[in-house]
Amino acid sequence: YTSGTTGHPKGVLHGHRNLIEMSGIASRLENLGPDEEVLAYLPIAWIGQNIFSYAQWLVSGFTVNCPESAETVSADMREIGPTYYFAPPRVLEALLTQVTIRMEDAAAPKRALFNHFMGVARKVGGRLLDGDRNVPLLDRVKYWLGNLLIYAPLRNSLGMSRVRVAYTAGEAIGPDLFVFYRALGINLKQLYGATETAVFSCVQPNGQVKPDTVGPPLAGVELKITDDGEVLIRSPGLLLEYYRNPQATAEVKDGEGWYHTGDAGYFDTDGHLKIIDRAKDVGRLAQGALFAPKYIENKLKFFPYIKEAVAFGNGR
């Protein structure tokens, strides 16, 4: 079922071929195999669980671990040490909040050590993760020492010591949050898709990870942007139809097989998709330029002193 965040939830009909084909494409991209460990903690009625714990398991043959209960997920994460992991931004935010609270309660010398090495990590951690050979030797030594004292124990505390590939999707993730995990040496990447596309449409490739894009289209996936800025998708993973709802199906899937996402975006110079807002909320300014309120609002909310922001266009 769709989430229903922008309307009433709808049942999405997928064929086995939809799920298996898209799972295979994504699994080959990440070289997933039988040695991977996955924690199946997501809601079972969600497409994410169907892909990450069912369809990709059928393709790759990895081990799916079930938590003992919802209350023990964090402990089970540390016990199992998944190598392939997915979490929506709200889960990653909750984990970071726990870390922040613990550090605020720590002794002053420990806080100072943490803040110093996190500064080093934010500076070069992501570059080292991407294999950048231009990182100075001194910074490499500092990061190695920080890994010994801070990053490795923190990854272990989060249950992410063995994570090889981690995805986040479902909503926009703040750059600071995204950079924090990559700075620790966790290969967190963004993907873009929907229940209607069997999750996978765009994925950030290793070495090409940016905090403000969702990567290029996957193999076999076609994307185009309409004149109004809406993102259209055509792929082997598209829904067959909405369950007992032909009218809703006709509204999102046209005669040429394009799925109308309702999202507005554009491609950057590297061919990576950048989502800026819901298409229905995007307007044009007097000069003709596209105006995306959510894109501006999210940028403003990245400042620590701004909790909420609302942007609107002047129609005069």
Side-chain angles (χ1 to χ4, degrees), residues 65-111:
N65 302 274
C66 297
E68 296 171 46
S69 69
E71 292 72 27
T72 64
V73 169
S74 295
D76 296 330
M77 273 280 292
R78 292 190 292 272
E79 180 181 346
I80 293 163
T83 61
Y84 180 46
Y85 180 66
F86 175 87
R90 59 180 177 79
V91 171
L92 298 174
E93 288 172 0
L95 292 174
L96 178 55
T97 298
Q98 293 176 17
V99 172
T100 303
I101 291 173
R102 286 171 55 190
M103 292 315 303
E104 287 177 350
D105 293 338
K110 190 173 183 179
R111 283 202 311 272

Tab-separated table of all heavy atoms in Angstrom, residues 65-111:
chain	number	residue	atom	x	y	z
A	65	ASN	N	17.583	-11.661	8.960
A	65	ASN	CA	17.447	-11.825	10.405
A	65	ASN	C	16.238	-11.055	10.909
A	65	ASN	O	16.041	-9.891	10.549
A	65	ASN	CB	18.696	-11.289	11.115
A	65	ASN	CG	19.963	-11.988	10.653
A	65	ASN	OD1	20.330	-13.034	11.159
A	65	ASN	ND2	20.637	-11.399	9.667
A	66	CYS	N	15.433	-11.678	11.743
A	66	CYS	CA	14.250	-11.027	12.308
A	66	CYS	C	14.541	-10.603	13.747
A	66	CYS	O	15.047	-11.409	14.539
A	66	CYS	CB	13.050	-11.960	12.300
A	66	CYS	SG	12.534	-12.445	10.634
A	67	PRO	N	14.239	-9.351	14.107
A	67	PRO	CA	14.443	-8.918	15.499
A	67	PRO	C	13.513	-9.659	16.439
A	67	PRO	O	12.459	-10.139	16.044
A	67	PRO	CB	14.137	-7.419	15.452
A	67	PRO	CG	13.256	-7.241	14.258
A	67	PRO	CD	13.677	-8.280	13.273
A	68	GLU	N	13.922	-9.753	17.694
A	68	GLU	CA	13.093	-10.442	18.684
A	68	GLU	C	11.791	-9.691	18.934
A	68	GLU	O	10.744	-10.293	19.149
A	68	GLU	CB	13.878	-10.590	19.984
A	68	GLU	CG	15.122	-11.477	19.833
A	68	GLU	CD	15.995	-11.435	21.072
A	68	GLU	OE1	15.444	-11.546	22.180
A	68	GLU	OE2	17.218	-11.279	20.933
A	69	SER	N	11.854	-8.353	18.904
A	69	SER	CA	10.658	-7.523	19.080
A	69	SER	C	11.006	-6.117	18.622
A	69	SER	O	12.175	-5.796	18.369
A	69	SER	CB	10.211	-7.500	20.547
A	69	SER	OG	11.152	-6.796	21.332
A	70	ALA	N	9.980	-5.273	18.545
A	70	ALA	CA	10.218	-3.881	18.144
A	70	ALA	C	11.107	-3.159	19.152
A	70	ALA	O	11.874	-2.256	18.782
A	70	ALA	CB	8.890	-3.152	17.998
A	71	GLU	N	11.017	-3.553	20.407
A	71	GLU	CA	11.789	-2.893	21.466
A	71	GLU	C	13.259	-3.286	21.449
A	71	GLU	O	14.097	-2.592	22.036
A	71	GLU	CB	11.191	-3.209	22.849
A	71	GLU	CG	9.820	-2.596	23.119
A	71	GLU	CD	8.705	-3.269	22.324
A	71	GLU	OE1	8.855	-4.467	21.991
A	71	GLU	OE2	7.684	-2.599	22.057
A	72	THR	N	13.595	-4.414	20.813
A	72	THR	CA	14.981	-4.899	20.859
A	72	THR	C	15.736	-4.660	19.552
A	72	THR	O	16.825	-5.208	19.369
A	72	THR	CB	15.011	-6.412	21.177
A	72	THR	OG1	14.363	-7.137	20.106
A	72	THR	CG2	14.309	-6.713	22.492
A	73	VAL	N	15.185	-3.854	18.655
A	73	VAL	CA	15.825	-3.658	17.346
A	73	VAL	C	17.255	-3.135	17.488
A	73	VAL	O	18.177	-3.613	16.812
A	73	VAL	CB	14.985	-2.709	16.467
A	73	VAL	CG1	15.776	-2.284	15.225
A	73	VAL	CG2	13.698	-3.394	16.032
A	74	SER	N	17.464	-2.151	18.358
A	74	SER	CA	18.803	-1.580	18.526
A	74	SER	C	19.793	-2.633	19.028
A	74	SER	O	20.923	-2.736	18.525
A	74	SER	CB	18.760	-0.397	19.502
A	74	SER	OG	17.986	0.655	18.957
A	75	ALA	N	19.377	-3.414	20.008
A	75	ALA	CA	20.245	-4.466	20.533
A	75	ALA	C	20.494	-5.536	19.483
A	75	ALA	O	21.618	-6.055	19.348
A	75	ALA	CB	19.622	-5.083	21.780
A	76	ASP	N	19.458	-5.879	18.722
A	76	ASP	CA	19.612	-6.884	17.666
A	76	ASP	C	20.542	-6.388	16.563
A	76	ASP	O	21.289	-7.164	15.966
A	76	ASP	CB	18.247	-7.240	17.073
A	76	ASP	CG	17.334	-7.907	18.092
A	76	ASP	OD1	17.866	-8.577	18.994
A	76	ASP	OD2	16.103	-7.754	17.999
A	77	MET	N	20.485	-5.075	16.268
A	77	MET	CA	21.404	-4.488	15.287
A	77	MET	C	22.851	-4.737	15.703
A	77	MET	O	23.691	-5.146	14.895
A	77	MET	CB	21.156	-2.981	15.174
A	77	MET	CG	20.095	-2.559	14.202
A	77	MET	SD	20.662	-2.541	12.478
A	77	MET	CE	21.844	-1.194	12.500
A	78	ARG	N	23.143	-4.481	16.979
A	78	ARG	CA	24.517	-4.672	17.462
A	78	ARG	C	24.911	-6.135	17.470
A	78	ARG	O	26.064	-6.491	17.207
A	78	ARG	CB	24.656	-4.070	18.864
A	78	ARG	CG	24.553	-2.548	18.885
A	78	ARG	CD	24.930	-1.988	20.242
A	78	ARG	NE	23.958	-2.347	21.266
A	78	ARG	CZ	22.872	-1.632	21.542
A	78	ARG	NH1	22.615	-0.525	20.858
A	78	ARG	NH2	22.033	-2.002	22.496
A	79	GLU	N	23.961	-7.008	17.788
A	79	GLU	CA	24.259	-8.445	17.852
A	79	GLU	C	24.501	-9.033	16.462
A	79	GLU	O	25.422	-9.823	16.257
A	79	GLU	CB	23.109	-9.176	18.530
A	79	GLU	CG	23.313	-10.686	18.640
A	79	GLU	CD	22.131	-11.381	19.290
A	79	GLU	OE1	21.276	-10.699	19.885
A	79	GLU	OE2	22.076	-12.624	19.200
A	80	ILE	N	23.660	-8.638	15.508
A	80	ILE	CA	23.727	-9.222	14.160
A	80	ILE	C	24.797	-8.553	13.319
A	80	ILE	O	25.526	-9.215	12.575
A	80	ILE	CB	22.347	-9.107	13.472
A	80	ILE	CG1	21.332	-9.995	14.200
A	80	ILE	CG2	22.427	-9.493	11.992
A	80	ILE	CD1	19.896	-9.672	13.886
A	81	GLY	N	24.889	-7.229	13.385
A	81	GLY	CA	25.845	-6.498	12.557
A	81	GLY	C	25.533	-6.629	11.086
A	81	GLY	O	26.306	-7.225	10.328
A	82	PRO	N	24.390	-6.088	10.623
A	82	PRO	CA	24.029	-6.231	9.213
A	82	PRO	C	25.075	-5.612	8.285
A	82	PRO	O	25.739	-4.633	8.642
A	82	PRO	CB	22.695	-5.482	9.110
A	82	PRO	CG	22.669	-4.561	10.276
A	82	PRO	CD	23.417	-5.256	11.364
A	83	THR	N	25.203	-6.196	7.111
A	83	THR	CA	26.127	-5.660	6.109
A	83	THR	C	25.390	-4.852	5.057
A	83	THR	O	25.992	-4.064	4.332
A	83	THR	CB	26.890	-6.798	5.406
A	83	THR	OG1	25.942	-7.664	4.740
A	83	THR	CG2	27.672	-7.622	6.405
A	84	TYR	N	24.079	-5.070	4.957
A	84	TYR	CA	23.227	-4.370	3.993
A	84	TYR	C	22.059	-3.815	4.792
A	84	TYR	O	21.347	-4.567	5.462
A	84	TYR	CB	22.768	-5.349	2.916
A	84	TYR	CG	21.877	-4.763	1.836
A	84	TYR	CD1	22.173	-3.559	1.219
A	84	TYR	CD2	20.739	-5.458	1.410
A	84	TYR	CE1	21.360	-3.044	0.225
A	84	TYR	CE2	19.918	-4.962	0.403
A	84	TYR	CZ	20.242	-3.746	-0.186
A	84	TYR	OH	19.428	-3.233	-1.171
A	85	TYR	N	21.864	-2.491	4.729
A	85	TYR	CA	20.956	-1.856	5.684
A	85	TYR	C	20.169	-0.747	5.006
A	85	TYR	O	20.694	-0.020	4.157
A	85	TYR	CB	21.774	-1.286	6.845
A	85	TYR	CG	20.974	-0.592	7.916
A	85	TYR	CD1	20.082	-1.290	8.719
A	85	TYR	CD2	21.144	0.774	8.155
A	85	TYR	CE1	19.360	-0.653	9.723
A	85	TYR	CE2	20.425	1.416	9.156
A	85	TYR	CZ	19.536	0.705	9.936
A	85	TYR	OH	18.825	1.338	10.920
A	86	PHE	N	18.891	-0.635	5.367
A	86	PHE	CA	18.065	0.477	4.907
A	86	PHE	C	17.395	1.128	6.105
A	86	PHE	O	16.913	0.435	7.003
A	86	PHE	CB	16.985	0.004	3.933
A	86	PHE	CG	16.035	1.100	3.540
A	86	PHE	CD1	16.332	1.938	2.483
A	86	PHE	CD2	14.864	1.322	4.267
A	86	PHE	CE1	15.480	2.974	2.139
A	86	PHE	CE2	14.004	2.354	3.929
A	86	PHE	CZ	14.318	3.180	2.866
A	87	ALA	N	17.356	2.467	6.097
A	87	ALA	CA	16.666	3.198	7.159
A	87	ALA	C	16.126	4.500	6.595
A	87	ALA	O	16.848	5.224	5.908
A	87	ALA	CB	17.605	3.490	8.322
A	88	PRO	N	14.863	4.828	6.866
A	88	PRO	CA	14.351	6.151	6.497
A	88	PRO	C	15.024	7.207	7.353
A	88	PRO	O	15.564	6.908	8.434
A	88	PRO	CB	12.852	6.047	6.791
A	88	PRO	CG	12.731	4.951	7.792
A	88	PRO	CD	13.844	3.996	7.522
A	89	PRO	N	15.027	8.467	6.904
A	89	PRO	CA	15.704	9.538	7.662
A	89	PRO	C	15.292	9.631	9.123
A	89	PRO	O	16.126	9.933	9.985
A	89	PRO	CB	15.325	10.798	6.882
A	89	PRO	CG	15.152	10.332	5.478
A	89	PRO	CD	14.533	8.964	5.605
A	90	ARG	N	14.008	9.370	9.437
A	90	ARG	CA	13.564	9.518	10.834
A	90	ARG	C	14.290	8.528	11.757
A	90	ARG	O	14.549	8.843	12.932
A	90	ARG	CB	12.054	9.339	10.939
A	90	ARG	CG	11.531	8.007	10.449
A	90	ARG	CD	10.022	7.883	10.577
A	90	ARG	NE	9.532	6.635	10.028
A	90	ARG	CZ	9.596	5.464	10.647
A	90	ARG	NH1	10.128	5.401	11.860
A	90	ARG	NH2	9.120	4.357	10.085
A	91	VAL	N	14.610	7.330	11.246
A	91	VAL	CA	15.355	6.360	12.054
A	91	VAL	C	16.787	6.845	12.275
A	91	VAL	O	17.325	6.772	13.393
A	91	VAL	CB	15.360	4.977	11.379
A	91	VAL	CG1	16.307	4.021	12.093
A	91	VAL	CG2	13.944	4.393	11.347
A	92	LEU	N	17.396	7.373	11.220
A	92	LEU	CA	18.763	7.887	11.330
A	92	LEU	C	18.816	9.103	12.248
A	92	LEU	O	19.777	9.281	13.002
A	92	LEU	CB	19.296	8.249	9.949
A	92	LEU	CG	19.391	7.076	8.958
A	92	LEU	CD1	19.797	7.577	7.570
A	92	LEU	CD2	20.393	6.029	9.449
A	93	GLU	N	17.780	9.936	12.198
A	93	GLU	CA	17.699	11.095	13.095
A	93	GLU	C	17.607	10.650	14.550
A	93	GLU	O	18.253	11.229	15.434
A	93	GLU	CB	16.482	11.950	12.737
A	93	GLU	CG	16.628	12.731	11.441
A	93	GLU	CD	15.327	13.404	11.029
A	93	GLU	OE1	14.318	13.255	11.767
A	93	GLU	OE2	15.317	14.062	9.977
A	94	ALA	N	16.796	9.610	14.811
A	94	ALA	CA	16.630	9.115	16.181
A	94	ALA	C	17.952	8.574	16.730
A	94	ALA	O	18.298	8.811	17.895
A	94	ALA	CB	15.559	8.027	16.216
A	95	LEU	N	18.705	7.873	15.886
A	95	LEU	CA	19.996	7.336	16.314
A	95	LEU	C	20.977	8.462	16.626
A	95	LEU	O	21.705	8.409	17.620
A	95	LEU	CB	20.569	6.415	15.228
A	95	LEU	CG	19.821	5.101	14.987
A	95	LEU	CD1	20.412	4.372	13.785
A	95	LEU	CD2	19.874	4.205	16.227
A	96	LEU	N	20.990	9.478	15.751
A	96	LEU	CA	21.888	10.609	15.985
A	96	LEU	C	21.501	11.363	17.252
A	96	LEU	O	22.378	11.821	18.001
A	96	LEU	CB	21.863	11.555	14.777
A	96	LEU	CG	22.723	12.817	14.891
A	96	LEU	CD1	24.172	12.462	15.210
A	96	LEU	CD2	22.641	13.641	13.608
A	97	THR	N	20.212	11.480	17.531
A	97	THR	CA	19.757	12.141	18.758
A	97	THR	C	20.281	11.417	19.995
A	97	THR	O	20.716	12.054	20.965
A	97	THR	CB	18.215	12.194	18.794
A	97	THR	OG1	17.748	12.958	17.680
A	97	THR	CG2	17.721	12.834	20.084
A	98	GLN	N	20.255	10.078	19.949
A	98	GLN	CA	20.784	9.294	21.068
A	98	GLN	C	22.265	9.585	21.288
A	98	GLN	O	22.724	9.749	22.421
A	98	GLN	CB	20.582	7.806	20.801
A	98	GLN	CG	19.125	7.362	20.791
A	98	GLN	CD	18.980	5.892	20.420
A	98	GLN	OE1	19.942	5.127	20.475
A	98	GLN	NE2	17.778	5.488	20.031
A	99	VAL	N	23.017	9.658	20.181
A	99	VAL	CA	24.453	9.953	20.276
A	99	VAL	C	24.671	11.339	20.865
A	99	VAL	O	25.513	11.534	21.762
A	99	VAL	CB	25.110	9.852	18.879
A	99	VAL	CG1	26.561	10.348	18.933
A	99	VAL	CG2	25.060	8.425	18.369
A	100	THR	N	23.889	12.325	20.377
A	100	THR	CA	24.037	13.703	20.846
A	100	THR	C	23.757	13.822	22.340
A	100	THR	O	24.493	14.492	23.082
A	100	THR	CB	23.079	14.630	20.069
A	100	THR	OG1	23.351	14.509	18.665
A	100	THR	CG2	23.262	16.075	20.491
A	101	ILE	N	22.694	13.158	22.804
A	101	ILE	CA	22.346	13.201	24.224
A	101	ILE	C	23.454	12.587	25.072
A	101	ILE	O	23.833	13.120	26.126
A	101	ILE	CB	21.008	12.475	24.468
A	101	ILE	CG1	19.859	13.269	23.839
A	101	ILE	CG2	20.759	12.282	25.960
A	101	ILE	CD1	18.522	12.552	23.869
A	102	ARG	N	23.987	11.467	24.617
A	102	ARG	CA	25.062	10.806	25.365
A	102	ARG	C	26.291	11.697	25.466
A	102	ARG	O	26.953	11.762	26.512
A	102	ARG	CB	25.418	9.479	24.702
A	102	ARG	CG	24.386	8.383	24.935
A	102	ARG	CD	24.665	7.172	24.078
A	102	ARG	NE	26.009	6.649	24.260
A	102	ARG	CZ	26.551	5.707	23.487
A	102	ARG	NH1	25.836	5.187	22.495
A	102	ARG	NH2	27.762	5.280	23.707
A	103	MET	N	26.619	12.396	24.365
A	103	MET	CA	27.801	13.250	24.384
A	103	MET	C	27.588	14.490	25.256
A	103	MET	O	28.526	14.979	25.893
A	103	MET	CB	28.175	13.664	22.961
A	103	MET	CG	28.685	12.524	22.096
A	103	MET	SD	29.886	11.428	22.919
A	103	MET	CE	31.154	12.586	23.418
A	104	GLU	N	26.355	14.994	25.316
A	104	GLU	CA	26.072	16.142	26.184
A	104	GLU	C	26.228	15.775	27.650
A	104	GLU	O	26.564	16.632	28.478
A	104	GLU	CB	24.656	16.658	25.912
A	104	GLU	CG	24.522	17.390	24.580
A	104	GLU	CD	23.096	17.832	24.313
A	104	GLU	OE1	22.185	17.405	25.068
A	104	GLU	OE2	22.880	18.578	23.340
A	105	ASP	N	25.977	14.499	27.965
A	105	ASP	CA	26.098	14.032	29.345
A	105	ASP	C	27.512	13.570	29.677
A	105	ASP	O	27.803	13.258	30.846
A	105	ASP	CB	25.123	12.873	29.608
A	105	ASP	CG	23.669	13.323	29.557
A	105	ASP	OD1	23.423	14.535	29.734
A	105	ASP	OD2	22.785	12.464	29.312
A	106	ALA	N	28.389	13.524	28.678
A	106	ALA	CA	29.751	13.031	28.895
A	106	ALA	C	30.615	14.090	29.575
A	106	ALA	O	30.273	15.282	29.603
A	106	ALA	CB	30.374	12.617	27.562
A	107	ALA	N	31.736	13.649	30.106
A	107	ALA	CA	32.672	14.577	30.747
A	107	ALA	C	33.269	15.522	29.698
A	107	ALA	O	33.341	15.189	28.511
A	107	ALA	CB	33.778	13.797	31.451
A	108	ALA	N	33.710	16.696	30.142
A	108	ALA	CA	34.228	17.726	29.234
A	108	ALA	C	35.379	17.225	28.349
A	108	ALA	O	35.391	17.506	27.142
A	108	ALA	CB	34.658	18.950	30.034
A	109	PRO	N	36.375	16.495	28.887
A	109	PRO	CA	37.469	16.019	28.020
A	109	PRO	C	36.967	15.084	26.911
A	109	PRO	O	37.440	15.159	25.765
A	109	PRO	CB	38.394	15.270	28.989
A	109	PRO	CG	38.102	15.867	30.325
A	109	PRO	CD	36.650	16.185	30.313
A	110	LYS	N	36.002	14.228	27.245
A	110	LYS	CA	35.463	13.306	26.252
A	110	LYS	C	34.693	14.060	25.169
A	110	LYS	O	34.782	13.736	23.992
A	110	LYS	CB	34.563	12.274	26.936
A	110	LYS	CG	34.140	11.131	26.021
A	110	LYS	CD	33.407	10.051	26.799
A	110	LYS	CE	33.059	8.880	25.891
A	110	LYS	NZ	32.365	7.798	26.650
A	111	ARG	N	33.918	15.098	25.587
A	111	ARG	CA	33.183	15.912	24.614
A	111	ARG	C	34.147	16.631	23.682
A	111	ARG	O	33.928	16.709	22.478
A	111	ARG	CB	32.298	16.936	25.326
A	111	ARG	CG	31.034	16.379	25.920
A	111	ARG	CD	29.982	17.478	26.123
A	111	ARG	NE	30.511	18.653	26.795
A	111	ARG	CZ	30.556	18.800	28.122
A	111	ARG	NH1	30.096	17.835	28.902
A	111	ARG	NH2	31.042	19.904	28.652
